[in-house]
Amino acid sequence: MGISRRQFLGWLGAAAGTSAVLGEKTEAASNKVFKGYPGSFGVLHDTTRCIGCRKCEEACNRVNELPLPKIPFEDLAVLNTKRRTQSDAYTVVNRFINNGNMQPVFVKSQCNHCLEPACASACFVKALKKVSTGAVVYDSSLCVGCRYCMIACPFNIPAYEYNNPLTPRVMKCTMCHPLIEKGLLPGCVEACPKEALTFGPREKLLKEAWQRIEKYSDRYLDHIYGEHEMGGTGWVYLSGRPFADIGMRDDLGIQPASSYTSGPLAAVPVVVGLWPVLLTGIYAISKRKDKISEEERIEAVSRTKANANEEMKAKLAALKDTMTKEKEAAINLEVKRALEDAAKKIKAEQPESAKDESVNISGEEK
């Protein structure tokens, strides 16, 4: 069985792995460090307030119209296992327990909506992009299924619809971008009963976070995760425990993803120029291959139906012949029985003097 267009382009996309190969200017793949859109929104997650109730998971599921999980949201036993986001779960809450007597810490994981996202930097067809609200959104109509965004993401967030063989998509949190555009809160923020999630302009969230740190220095670390990591993220965190102890990477540095991709790309101008031509040719070949495959499938189905019809006709003809023979045999048997009954009746009605003579059914004397 041949590979699909998505698979073929995906392998090539993974090999190239950048949006700049199309030769178009984008913030995500330029030498300029992109500091995010002015006034863009974000979310502050205060892990010291989170109680692990999973209300945010339930709200995310409802707002995004995702399939219900096998384990109900009320069942907190799932917190015994560390989870990651999936194609049908844009956000998950994990519990981290210290070996000492400290209380468990609950951490909500979802797309962090980086100021200069690695996923968008790696996407050469611009299916992923940063928008002015602060969200990193996805356009499935542009995606070729290369899944390089999954490799590029330092937070291991994007998930692929492997169970959807026809039109698989890359799935992740959108920060409820459609709701934000309507002036509404993201579903998870609105559902949080302990105000562990705060939504607003990113700059104001950072000020709020630093005020909490200064006011309750014994509760918080002197650090806001996401303020500078990977060039900054829209989703920022407060914690009373080292971030490495609650499942968060502390080895990312402060440089955005594009700073690692723009240099190598500048050294291969020939490949950059030829890439669109190569993609166009591969796309045409793949489309032709898909068309031939579909034609072969249709022909095979038609051939199978024709063979089935012929076989059915033959079986019906044989059945009809058998039924005809059985019917004739039954009629002959009934005629024979009727003749025998008539002969017996005639014999019974003869006078005693004539009983010595037998008369057959045709009237001939014996």
Side-chain angles (χ1 to χ4, degrees):
M1 182 175 64
I3 62 173
S4 67
R5 175 176 64 89
R6 278 180 179 266
Q7 289 174 319
F8 195 46
L9 291 179
W11 293 339
L12 289 172
T18 60
S19 58
V21 291
L22 293 179
E24 297 181 8
K25 181 180 179 181
T26 65
E27 295 287 359
S30 67
N31 289 313
K32 178 182 176 182
V33 175
F34 181 51
K35 293 296 184 180
Y37 292 97
S40 63
F41 296 103
V43 176
L44 170 62
H45 177 26
D46 190 335
T47 62
T48 68
R49 297 183 179 184
C50 184
I51 59 175
C53 64
R54 300 184 66 201
K55 294 294 183 183
C56 54
E57 291 186 32
E58 183 177 14
C60 178
N61 180 278
R62 182 179 62 256
V63 170
N64 292 288
E65 299 180 348
L66 300 174
L68 290 174
K70 295 180 180 179
I71 301 177
F73 292 108
E74 295 78 13
D75 188 347
L76 301 184
V78 297
L79 298 176
N80 294 330
T81 304
K82 185 177 179 181
R83 299 173 293 154
R84 61 148 292 174
T85 56
Q86 302 292 340
S87 61
D88 56 356
Y90 294 173
T91 186
V92 295
V93 176
N94 285 307
R95 178 175 61 195
F96 297 90
I97 301 176
N98 188 277
N99 293 330
N101 297 322
M102 298 178 65
Q103 294 293 323
V105 177
F106 300 95
V107 181
K108 178 182 180 298
S109 298
Q110 70 298 300
C111 174
N112 284 326
H113 300 278
C114 304
L115 299 186
E116 191 165 358
C119 59
S121 179
C123 183
F124 62 90
V125 294
K126 296 185 180 179
L128 288 156
K129 64 179 180 179
K130 182 81 170 179
V131 294
S132 59
T133 61
V136 177
V137 298
Y138 168 73
D139 186 347
S140 61
S141 67
L142 298 176
C143 182
V144 295
C146 71
R147 287 162 280 176
Y148 200 70
C149 55
M150 297 172 62
I151 301 173
C153 178
F155 304 108
N156 194 30
I157 293 300
Y160 195 65
E161 286 185 317
Y162 289 102
N163 60 342
N164 185 357
L166 297 180
T167 56
R169 298 166 295 174
V170 173
M171 309 296 281
K172 72 171 194 67
C173 160
T174 65
M175 202 194 287
C176 289
H177 177 64
L179 294 182
I180 296 175
E181 288 188 314
K182 296 178 182 178
L184 302 175
L185 291 173
C188 59
V189 176
E190 187 174 22
C192 183
K194 293 296 182 179
E195 297 184 353
L197 303 173
T198 305
F199 174 80
R202 184 176 183 273
E203 294 304 318
K204 290 185 177 181
L205 293 177
L206 292 175
K207 290 181 180 179
E208 169 67 20
W210 279 117
Q211 288 175 1
R212 293 186 193 181
I213 292 173
E214 292 173 3
K215 188 175 181 179
Y216 305 102
S217 59
D218 58 335
R219 180 188 302 178
Y220 299 105
L221 292 178
D222 189 23
H223 180 67
I224 304 172
Y225 192 94
E227 182 178 15
H228 300 297
E229 278 79 6
M230 291 299 296
T233 59
W235 208 283
V236 293
Y237 300 78
L238 285 176
S239 174
R241 298 254 299 274
F243 288 103
D245 292 349
I246 57 174
M248 306 181 76
R249 294 183 61 177
D250 60 357
D251 61 340
L252 297 177
I254 63 174
Q255 293 297 320
S258 64
S259 64
Y260 300 105
T261 60
S262 58
L265 286 177
V268 287
V270 175
V271 175
V272 172
L274 292 178
W275 185 252
V277 179
L278 178 61
L279 280 181
T280 302
I282 294 172
Y283 178 76
I285 294 172
S286 300
K287 288 291 289 183
R288 175 58 181 164
K289 188 173 184 179
D290 290 345
K291 182 178 179 180
I292 294 174
S293 178
E294 179 65 13
E295 290 174 351
E296 290 176 348
R297 185 189 67 81
I298 294 174
E299 182 182 353
V301 171
S302 299
R303 186 166 56 250
T304 302
K305 289 174 65 177
N307 292 340
N309 289 336
E310 291 299 323
E311 185 177 353
M312 183 61 68
K313 288 179 181 179
K315 288 183 177 180
L316 288 174
L319 180 61
K320 183 177 179 181
D321 184 58
T322 300
M323 292 178 66
T324 300
K325 292 179 179 179
E326 290 178 351
K327 184 178 180 180
E328 291 177 352
I331 292 174
N332 292 335
L333 180 60
E334 291 299 321
V335 170
K336 181 178 179 181
R337 288 176 179 175
L339 292 175
E340 290 176 350
D341 292 342
K344 291 178 181 179
K345 185 176 180 180
I346 293 174
K347 186 176 181 180
E349 292 176 350
Q350 288 179 346
E352 291 294 332
S353 59
K355 284 186 177 181
D356 293 335
E357 296 181 3
S358 297
V359 181
N360 62 21
I361 195 64
S362 63
E364 298 177 355
E365 295 184 356
K366 289 186 179 180

